[in-house]
Amino acid sequence: MYTAEFTYKKAGSISEAISLLQQHPDAKLLAGGHSLIPTMKLRLASPPALIDISKVAELRGVRLEGDHLVIGAMTTYHELETSDLLKQHCPIIPQAVHLIGDPMVRAKGTIGGSLAHADPAADLPASMLALDAKIKVQGPGGARVIAADNFFTGMFSTAMQEGEILTEVHVPVRAGARMAYAKFPHPASRYAVVGVAVVADGGSVRAAVTGAGEHAMRLSKLEQALAGKPLTAENITAACQGLLPPDHLNHDLVASKEYRAHLVDVMARRALMQAAGL
Amino acid sequence: MADKLFGKAMKRVEDPRFITGTGNYTDDMTLPGMVHAAMVRSPYAHARIKKIDVSKARSYPGVLAVITGQEMKDAGINGIPTGWLHPGIKTPPHYAITFDKARHVGDIVAAVIAETRQIAEDAAELVEVDYEPLPAVALGSDALKPGAPAVHDDVPDNVCFTWSIGDKAAVDAAFASAHKTVKLNLRNNRLVPNAMEPRASLAQYLKASDEYTLWTTSQNPHIHRLLIAAFIMGIPEHKLRVIAPDVGGGFGSKIYQYPEEIIVLYAAKKLNRPVKWTARRSESFVTDSHGRDHETVAEMAVDQSGKITAVRVDTIANMGAYLTTFAPAVPTYLYGCLLAGTYTTPHIYCHVTAPFTHTTPVDAYRGAGRPEATYLLERLVDVMAHELGMDPVEFRRKNLIPPDAFPYQTPVALQYDSGNYEANLDKALELVNYKALRQQQEEWRKQGRYMGIGVITFIEACGLAPSALVGSLGAQAGQWESALVRVMPTGKVEVFTGTHSHGQGHETAFAQVVADELQIPVEDVVLVHGDTGRMPYGWGSYGSRSAPTGLSAIVLATRKIIDKAKKIAAHLLEASPDDIVHEDGKFMVKGVPDKAKTFFDIALMAHLAHNYPADLEPGLEATHFYDPKNFVFPFGTHIAVVEVDPDTGKVKLLRYLSVDDCGPVINPLIADGQVHGGVAQGLGQALLEEAVYDKEGQILSGNFLEYTLPRADDMVQIEHDHTVTPCPHNPLGIKGIGEAGTIASTAAVANAVMDALRPFGIVHLDMPYTPEKVWRAIQATKPLSQAAD
Amino acid sequence: MPDKVQIKVTVNGVEHHNEVEPRLLLVHYLRETLGLTGTHVGCDTSQCGACTVHLDGQAVKSCTMFAVQADGCNLTTIEGLGSAGNLHPVQEGFWEMHGLQCGFCTPGMIMAAVDLLNKNPQPSEAEIRHALEGNLCRCTGYHNIVRAVQYAADKMAGKIGAAADD
Ligand SMILES: Cc1cc2nc3c(=O)[nH]c(=O)nc-3n(C[C@H](O)[C@H](O)[C@H](O)COP(=O)(O)OP(=O)(O)OC[C@H]3O[C@@H](n4cnc5c(N)ncnc54)[C@H](O)[C@@H]3O)c2cc1C
Ligand code: FES
Ligand code: FES
């Protein structure tokens, strides 16, 4: 149960965190710790130093800025789940977060930690893609914004570079959009075997899946099939067929490739039905 | 005197310490100078150990010793024996630390002792073991194939033992002349017990007196002391004290003698420091003895009238890499002897082959053999009923042993002492409203919803059991139980029992009965258990034996106290002992209620002995050793209602109802709680749990991320009731209830799932019914007809 | 060896100052440094919830946090929730409804249940079951745990009077 030894540094600001990262090149950032610490306890990771950014005030909280919401990277799941701003303007986030882990995980885990970690079975990446979120990162060379579509690049890998910190998530506010997340949880770990997020805005649908492949991805076939169509039960059912070919999907004790592919169809249908209020 | 406490739902006296965080579990203890052990375990299922280099670990700051198997063997420490033998059984040695080969993932190859647990774990990573990986075998039937890698060199065919019961010729004849037969190939999935408290052991050696104390997570401290003293370490039995303090659940897994207990005792003497080891959960997964793991061919034959005429069973029971304490008893006497169930089947034959494999040892897990027997029998019954076009309940009813047939001799050795199965079944059917459920099922099917109803009846033999009988069957242990009841001068009472409570609430239920017997307030009674230094020899708690054997011993000891108290009262009241009656908490002369002495008066005088019968010993305490005349035979009906989501294959429990008969219930709160927990464990086997091994003997579901324990939202509120058929041969008529839920619920849930899948023409699937398995089975078929039954 | 870190934490109302190794998990700080052994360790993968304590009023798994992360925080463990004779309604509920058997999961289960009732004073059965997803119990089948939480909710809402004998 003991991790290897490491040096502990607490950052008080983003700039301090960036300079600490420069001083300790092999260090890991510590956010909620709910992905990092379990792997360290099993000694699957043994970073020589941890830089705790969880208490950096400028990284916390949800606010409305013009036509988008800004979510600080260190905002916890619990804060997301209970945020009135999100419930009002972006209900898919509280809804998806409510299905993550358990209340204790939600008390500590953060949106920034989850996106930076890019676990293929994590829940939030699907909603980020469906929402067309922008992810802001900051490093020694300054800040940049990465579209969620370009952020997840592989299993546990993202478009962030060494020394960069994920600071904010920007979510466009879409009045009148209908959105929902449907999840088939792993029976033991409760991570997503398959989770599908859908955002329907006017005649267009953005949909994304997590758990199915190496990283969360858009369901373009579904989006095209529903483009310009009303969200009726018939249209939804017809569209949610064979959304992903099984060949490149994940497989494990709980779900083979074929079964996962099937679950993508079922979860997509359920998310759409819920979004459509059917 | 207040009302009788027997039957009262009294709140538990043990709870205040647990709900305030002041329980005392083994890992909670710290002794002055205490140091810590960490085990170096084989990552391979099968490997030759070519060389172990401990030098780096040994020189790591804070490390006190690195112990190898060779060192312990050279020090004269023997292997760990099994406690049950069959004719011809192979018992290859099981050393606490292996030195020649590793035989399962988790087999210990070295132990590091250090000042702190952190240092011990750090240094364990520095022990360099040169392994030569060898081919391994995980599945029982694979181990029996010609050319399979041998687990033990001196057992080249891997056959630990074979065993059979019943008249094979008669059974074969019954099958030859049967009206109909059914046959099922069944896999009873391997389970990991997962008591929530991981195992822990703390050993102390006192040089001055050459005495050892071992605090350990045990269901039966005396068995540990006996095995360690007489077989493994040669410590004189009176120089070893084994204490099982608060223990966080066992379910069988804490019966057995484990290697780590030997290692900490050895290290404590070697270093002259107390040594503690606590398992990490991932160690528990590969070292706590597993349960079940059968591959079975099961057949049933019926005659024209729908009466079962024969049952034939052939089972491969995986023993794992070594035999642990009761392993050989589980797939034999606790399994084959239960195959009559609640039915009048005249001919039964069961053959068992038990191979070694390169996996964690398999032994008794809650229910032990009886869930396996119940599952196969109740699956056969449902499949046969369907074959015959009969409602499964009516088919059962036709075959139940009638109430006037008791004592009932089964064809597989057991004699059931009492039972009333049909009345119990009827009560359950009425409570669940079976007819309405079947109607609802019909309607749902028309809407494309798949509800399943699983009704099972079961019997169990528990309360282990007559010593002469178990001895004749191979037990290397007695199975009587002891009690010492000690009355103090102030009238307070200590009750010492050889059984052990680790969740079962003995401190409450046993005290209730003692308070009734002695007619004293329950607060005046304390139960002492789990310490070989304090109580008389006893055999511990497993097999639902604590109430029928342990409490029976206590009751008989209290009755000795009362007899003696009457003599003292007679002397004080100047009457004949025959004229003394014990009523309303007093000892009084019959018909003269004002000539009376309280329990306190008697207790005090027994100790002062100032005014005392000349021919009577002073003091007031009594010991009783109770050897039961037979097993006890609880029974019941369990009904599960599930819904299968055909889109995902996910099974959802809708309702669960049980009507149990464990005789008179001492404390319904506790008895019902045992059923609730047992039902969850059985449901876990049916729907969620499986220790999955790959071909190389690696466990793939070796932690809680992969192995699914039932959670709160997998369960529903359980509907529960009783019928009461007392046991005729113990003082209170009580039977066990600790395992009933697990024995029954796996079969009930399995039958419910298969019932739900009937419209798809699916006859049988192996557990656990995971979503993908169910979905695939549905994909492979097309609904025969939405309304089919 | 990396530098030890000075921390200040308030546990059950008592302020503690300690120098700790950065890798010391909060649960080991509580159990070994402070001797508060009511908080248990049931797994090494953050799944079982036996280690649940309250950090600044919220339930967390103390096995999935380093003690240094709790610097400056306020902690409540089972020992600080209520004592015999002055039990918290959730503790009382577990006793009244037989919500525990071996007692090993119980401290974590109680702390999780208190957290639930703090956030949702009148939960439905389904909400109770969902909120306890992070707490494993092998003994009770959760039946009486659910009843214990319902009892506590009623008690806290004033629907139940004083318990019979505590
Ligand atoms: C029992 C349990 C159940 C869980 N169930 C689920 C579930 O159902 N669904 C789900 O999605 N997740 C689940 N999780 C994972 C949980 O959501 C994690 O908390 C989350 O994935 C990581 O967030 P964190 O804040 O804890 O990050 P940490 O663990 O602190 O960090 C994770 C990684 O990201 C890096 N990092 C963190 N913050 C930043 C940043 N701002 N910039 C750059 N890099 C950063 C860290 O260095 C580390 O490598 C579960 C975890 C547990 C323990
Ligand atoms: S000890 Fe299991 S979750 Fe913390
Ligand atoms: S009471 Fe034993 S694990 Fe919950």
Side-chain angles (χ1 to χ4, degrees):
Chain A
M1 245 315 253
Y2 298 90
T3 71
E5 295 176 335
F6 59 84
T7 301
Y8 175 79
K9 298 284 172 201
K10 192 145 85 180
S13 65
I14 297 175
S15 56
E16 191 187 351
I18 291 171
S19 67
L20 281 168
L21 266 181
Q22 284 176 300
Q23 290 160 32
H24 301 272
D26 291 326
K28 283 257 176 205
L29 295 169
L30 176 63
H34 272 51
S35 288
L36 186 55
I37 296 174
T39 46
M40 288 175 68
K41 287 199 318 191
L42 298 175
R43 299 203 179 186
L44 300 173
S46 298
L50 290 187
I51 298 163
D52 188 347
I53 53 170
S54 63
K55 303 237 167 103
V56 174
E58 54 189 317
L59 289 175
R60 299 191 71 137
V62 183
R63 58 183 195 274
L64 192 59
E65 269 182 17
D67 62 352
H68 62 274
L69 291 154
V70 177
I71 305 172
M74 293 300 99
T75 310
T76 64
Y77 293 135
H78 176 70
E79 289 159 354
L80 299 173
E81 198 182 352
T82 52
S83 156
D84 289 331
L85 272 179
L86 288 179
K87 282 187 208 163
Q88 192 189 338
H89 297 295
C90 191
I92 191 172
I93 292 181
Q95 191 225 330
V97 165
H98 187 64
L99 302 175
I100 292 176
D102 54 62
M104 288 82 83
V105 171
R106 300 198 288 274
K108 293 293 296 172
T110 65
I111 183 168
S114 172
L115 301 181
H117 193 56
D119 190 315
D123 287 291
L124 280 184
S127 300
M128 294 301 116
L129 290 169
L131 287 165
D132 196 13
K134 306 276 181 291
I135 293 160
K136 186 174 168 192
V137 303
Q138 206 168 319
R144 61 190 180 114
V145 169
I146 308 169
D149 277 336
N150 303 324
F151 187 78
F152 303 103
T153 55
M155 206 173 260
F156 300 106
S157 76
T158 69
M160 281 198 293
Q161 271 151 22
E162 290 279 308
E164 282 186 327
I165 298 179
L166 195 164
T167 55
E168 285 173 0
V169 177
H170 295 197
V171 179
V173 172
R174 293 200 184 84
R178 288 172 296 171
M179 49 187 80
Y181 179 68
K183 170 177 181 176
F184 191 86
H186 187 293
S189 77
R190 301 276 154 138
Y191 277 82
V193 174
V194 166
V196 174
V198 296
V199 176
D201 192 4
S204 82
V205 169
R206 279 181 72 99
V209 62
T210 189
E214 290 201 331
H215 56 82
M217 56 193 152
R218 296 270 296 281
L219 289 171
S220 41
K221 188 172 171 194
L222 177 64
E223 293 176 357
Q224 283 153 22
L226 286 172
K229 289 192 189 151
L231 288 187
T232 62
E234 297 71 43
N235 288 342
I236 291 171
T237 310
C240 295
Q241 308 275 352
L243 293 175
L244 290 178
D247 323 359
H248 298 296
L249 299 190
N250 300 334
H251 59 101
D252 53 27
L253 277 184
V254 165
S256 66
K257 292 168 190 245
E258 297 75 27
Y259 181 57
R260 255 199 178 71
H262 170 73
L263 285 178
V264 173
D265 294 350
V266 176
M267 293 303 126
R269 193 180 74 223
R270 289 184 181 175
L272 284 162
M273 292 285 199
Q274 192 186 332
L278 295 169
Chain B
M1 184 61 205
D3 292 343
K4 276 219 165 243
L5 294 176
F6 194 112
K8 200 175 155 213
M10 215 181 101
K11 289 197 301 189
R12 299 200 317 172
V13 301
E14 41 276 84
D15 287 359
R17 66 179 188 268
F18 296 128
I19 56 179
T20 56
T22 47
N24 183 37
Y25 301 89
T26 302
D27 187 51
D28 296 343
M29 274 183 279
T30 303
L31 296 179
M34 185 172 87
V35 296
H36 300 263
M39 304 300 156
V40 179
R41 298 182 183 277
S42 170
Y44 298 103
H46 192 197
R48 193 179 318 284
I49 299 166
K50 288 170 36 189
K51 188 163 167 272
I52 302 182
D53 183 353
V54 304
S55 52
K56 273 192 202 144
R58 184 64 193 83
S59 57
Y60 192 77
V63 170
L64 301 165
V66 182
I67 300 167
T68 62
Q70 194 63 47
E71 173 184 336
M72 282 179 62
K73 185 160 183 269
D74 292 346
I77 312 288
N78 296 318
I80 301 168
T82 185
W84 200 292
L85 300 175
H86 296 304
I89 189 171
K90 305 289 193 316
T91 58
H94 176 198
Y95 291 103
I97 304 183
T98 188
F99 45 83
D100 53 347
K101 274 181 174 183
R103 294 183 180 82
H104 68 89
V105 172
D107 215 356
I108 303 174
V109 294
V112 177
I113 320 291
E115 293 286 352
T116 69
R117 196 172 164 188
Q118 286 95 321
I119 296 172
E121 290 196 6
D122 288 346
E125 298 208 324
L126 301 177
V127 174
E128 290 170 0
V129 187
D130 188 2
Y131 292 104
E132 177 193 340
L134 298 170
V137 63
L139 189 65
S141 54
D142 286 344
L144 295 171
K145 286 181 184 152
V151 180
H152 298 278
D153 294 342
D154 47 358
V155 191
D157 61 358
N158 286 323
V159 177
C160 174
F161 64 84
T162 60
W163 178 92
S164 64
I165 193 163
D167 183 341
K168 182 165 192 304
V171 167
D172 290 347
F175 270 89
S177 63
H179 166 60
K180 243 187 183 31
T181 65
V182 293
K183 179 175 179 174
L184 289 174
N185 286 299
L186 304 170
R187 174 102 172 87
N188 200 291
N189 41 325
R190 181 189 274 243
L191 304 176
V192 183
N194 275 314
M196 287 316 300
E197 180 206 20
R199 283 191 297 115
S201 302
L202 166 59
Q204 183 181 38
Y205 175 71
L206 293 180
K207 208 169 184 177
S209 54
D210 194 27
E211 282 175 326
Y212 296 81
T213 305
L214 175 69
W215 290 264
T216 195
T217 46
S218 170
Q219 303 177 213
N220 33 244
H222 280 101
I223 292 185
H224 286 83
R225 186 179 66 176
L226 179 61
L227 289 172
I228 294 167
F231 297 93
I232 304 165
M233 297 187 78
I235 301 169
E237 204 174 348
H238 61 298
K239 296 279 189 187
L240 172 62
R241 178 173 174 187
V242 181
I243 301 173
D246 285 330
V247 173
F251 315 114
S253 70
K254 291 172 182 167
I255 298 173
Y256 323 117
Q257 179 62 58
Y258 284 104
E260 295 86 355
E261 289 157 333
I262 309 304
I263 294 168
V264 292
L265 281 167
Y266 174 81
K269 179 169 185 181
K270 178 182 163 107
L271 298 170
N272 202 21
R273 304 269 298 267
V275 180
K276 182 159 86 179
W277 167 82
T278 303
R280 303 165 55 132
R281 178 62 55 184
S282 40
E283 290 183 284
S284 312
F285 266 98
V286 291
T287 65
D288 293 9
S289 289
H290 291 178
R292 321 286 190 251
D293 199 347
H294 287 192
E295 296 162 79
T296 293
V297 181
E299 298 167 277
M300 178 176 272
V302 290
D303 66 15
Q304 283 284 353
S305 71
K307 291 282 264 182
I308 305 168
T309 53
V311 166
R312 187 162 60 196
V313 172
D314 196 359
T315 291
I316 297 170
N318 193 336
M319 292 285 101
Y322 303 104
L323 288 177
T324 52
T325 312
F326 284 132
V330 177
T332 52
Y333 293 104
L334 293 175
Y335 170 67
C337 296
L338 275 295
L339 289 171
T342 52
Y343 309 115
T344 53
T345 315
H347 304 294
I348 299 172
Y349 177 73
C350 175
H351 180 266
V352 177
T353 309
F356 289 113
T357 60
H358 294 102
T359 61
T360 299
V362 181
D363 204 319
Y365 165 62
R366 199 172 193 174
R370 290 150 292 169
E372 295 92 310
T374 304
Y375 169 71
L376 88 76
L377 195 58
E378 294 300 308
R379 285 297 302 128
L380 281 174
V381 166
D382 258 30
V383 171
M384 180 60 92
H386 186 62
E387 274 293 304
L388 295 171
M390 282 177 80
D391 180 284
V393 167
E394 288 321 304
F395 180 59
R396 283 183 171 78
R397 190 187 298 284
K398 201 176 186 74
N399 284 285
L400 289 177
I401 299 165
D404 58 6
F406 293 90
Y408 177 80
Q409 180 62 50
T410 73
V412 276
L414 293 177
Q415 191 187 72
Y416 299 165
D417 54 23
S418 59
N420 192 355
Y421 305 149
E422 192 169 0
N424 178 280
L425 172 67
D426 283 333
K427 184 166 187 177
L429 293 173
E430 189 190 314
L431 288 172
V432 86
N433 202 344
Y434 183 68
K435 277 217 178 79
L437 264 184
R438 285 283 177 210
Q439 275 164 13
Q440 192 185 349
Q441 180 183 41
E442 281 289 296
E443 282 157 26
W444 279 26
R445 281 182 183 170
K446 286 179 199 144
Q447 304 161 22
R449 291 182 67 182
Y450 299 91
M451 178 205 272
I453 306 161
V455 180
I456 67 107
T457 59
F458 77 102
I459 168 93
E460 61 161 320
C462 63
L464 268 62
S467 299
L469 175 68
V470 296
S472 74
L473 304 181
Q476 306 298 295
Q479 286 292 294
W480 46 265
E481 201 39 83
S482 67
L484 166 61
V485 177
R486 175 177 293 157
V487 183
M488 302 179 190
T490 55
K492 308 287 186 217
V493 177
E494 275 182 323
V495 179
F496 300 81
T497 176
T499 64
H500 185 270
S501 183
H502 35 277
Q504 300 92 331
H506 297 169
E507 291 171 36
T508 306
F510 289 11
Q512 283 177 258
V513 172
V514 171
D516 276 354
E517 291 285 328
L518 297 178
Q519 300 179 19
I520 58 175
V522 69
E523 302 76 48
D524 288 358
V525 182
V526 66
L527 186 81
V528 183
H529 60 102
D531 182 349
T532 63
R534 293 188 70 189
M535 70 238 190
Y537 199 92
W539 294 101
S541 287
Y542 38 80
S544 305
R545 68 188 298 275
S546 301
T549 63
L551 186 55
S552 293
I554 292 170
V555 166
L556 295 171
T558 61
R559 291 182 185 170
K560 289 179 181 169
I561 298 273
I562 293 165
D563 283 347
K564 185 167 179 182
K566 282 182 178 170
K567 288 183 190 150
I568 300 169
H571 178 83
L572 295 173
L573 298 168
E574 297 172 341
S576 153
D578 296 340
D579 291 337
I580 301 294
V581 290
H582 181 210
E583 275 169 17
D584 295 334
K586 296 200 185 76
F587 293 87
M588 53 193 157
V589 181
K590 202 185 293 170
V592 196
D594 51 344
K595 285 192 84 175
K597 291 285 169 191
T598 64
F599 188 74
F600 168 72
D601 297 335
I602 305 285
L604 187 62
M605 191 50 71
H607 286 83
L608 298 178
H610 294 169
N611 177 10
Y612 205 70
D615 55 350
L616 201 63
E617 290 173 21
L620 194 55
E621 70 175 53
T623 303
H624 194 91
F625 294 86
Y626 174 76
D627 203 354
K629 293 194 185 64
N630 194 351
F631 291 89
V632 292
F633 298 95
F635 58 89
T637 304
H638 283 221
I639 302 177
V641 185
V642 302
E643 183 177 6
V644 173
D645 173 357
D647 270 353
T648 60
K650 194 165 161 46
V651 178
K652 186 170 156 44
L653 181 66
L654 300 178
R655 278 180 79 184
Y656 197 96
L657 180 134
S658 79
V659 176
D660 283 279
D661 193 318
C662 62
V665 175
I666 303 164
N667 181 328
L669 210 53
I670 292 173
D672 293 358
Q674 290 294 308
V675 174
H676 302 152
V679 167
Q681 280 176 321
L683 171 127
Q685 169 161 33
L687 299 183
L688 307 169
E689 299 181 37
E690 184 170 25
V692 182
Y693 280 87
D694 70 9
K695 290 261 179 228
E696 281 73 50
Q698 293 288 337
I699 184 165
L700 302 179
S701 53
N703 59 47
F704 288 146
L705 291 163
E706 300 294 343
Y707 188 97
T708 312
L709 238 49
R711 281 187 168 81
D713 62 358
D714 294 311
M715 296 300 301
V716 296
Q717 292 303 95
I718 291 165
E719 303 158 66
H720 182 55
D721 210 331
H722 291 271
T723 58
V724 179
T725 312
C727 164
H729 62 75
N730 68 37
L732 299 172
I734 52 181
K735 305 187 281 193
I737 190 70
E739 295 166 294
T742 318
I743 291 169
S745 65
T746 302
V749 174
N751 277 349
V753 176
M754 289 305 118
D755 187 53
L757 296 177
R758 192 133 284 157
F760 298 97
I762 295 166
V763 175
H764 180 74
L765 295 175
D766 281 332
M767 304 180 292
Y769 304 118
T770 54
E772 177 162 4
K773 194 184 283 178
V774 172
W775 174 76
R776 278 191 181 277
I778 293 173
Q779 290 309 104
T781 66
K782 278 253 169 335
L784 297 178
S785 129
Q786 294 279 300
D789 197 333
Chain C
M1 201 195 257
D3 290 345
K4 289 199 174 182
V5 178
Q6 181 72 37
I7 59 168
K8 182 194 92 176
V9 285
T10 305
V11 182
N12 303 329
V14 181
E15 199 174 290
H16 296 269
H17 296 262
N18 294 90
E19 269 216 326
V20 298
E21 254 194 278
R23 66 165 162 169
L24 184 69
L25 292 169
L26 180 60
V27 68
H28 291 133
Y29 172 73
L30 293 170
R31 288 177 57 79
E32 285 153 25
T33 311
L34 303 186
L36 294 169
T37 54
T39 303
H40 296 153
V41 178
C43 73
D44 48 9
T45 53
S46 306
Q47 300 286 316
C48 76
C51 60
T52 304
V53 301
H54 290 187
L55 176 82
D56 291 334
Q58 248 196 333
V60 296
K61 293 177 177 173
S62 62
C63 73
T64 314
M65 256 189 90
F66 297 110
V68 288
Q69 291 174 276
D71 183 26
C73 294
N74 215 315
L75 287 162
T76 307
T77 68
I78 186 73
E79 289 93 340
L81 190 64
S83 53
N86 182 27
L87 295 174
H88 185 282
V90 173
Q91 290 171 308
E92 188 182 304
F94 272 70
W95 194 10
E96 290 290 328
M97 294 292 123
H98 188 35
L100 61 148
Q101 291 181 26
C102 79
F104 195 80
C105 72
T106 310
M109 200 64 89
I110 288 177
M111 296 312 281
V114 172
D115 184 60
L116 163 67
L117 295 180
N118 286 343
K119 292 171 179 165
N120 178 2
Q122 287 292 314
S124 66
E125 185 191 324
E127 285 170 335
I128 294 172
R129 291 181 181 277
H130 181 67
L132 297 178
E133 255 188 275
N135 296 81
L136 296 173
C137 174
R138 194 56 152 165
C139 295
T140 62
Y142 307 97
H143 182 106
N144 286 336
I145 290 177
V146 170
R147 291 177 65 219
V149 179
Q150 289 168 334
Y151 174 100
D154 287 349
K155 175 95 186 199
M156 287 160 88
K159 293 189 200 159
I160 300 175
D165 48 9
D166 55 58

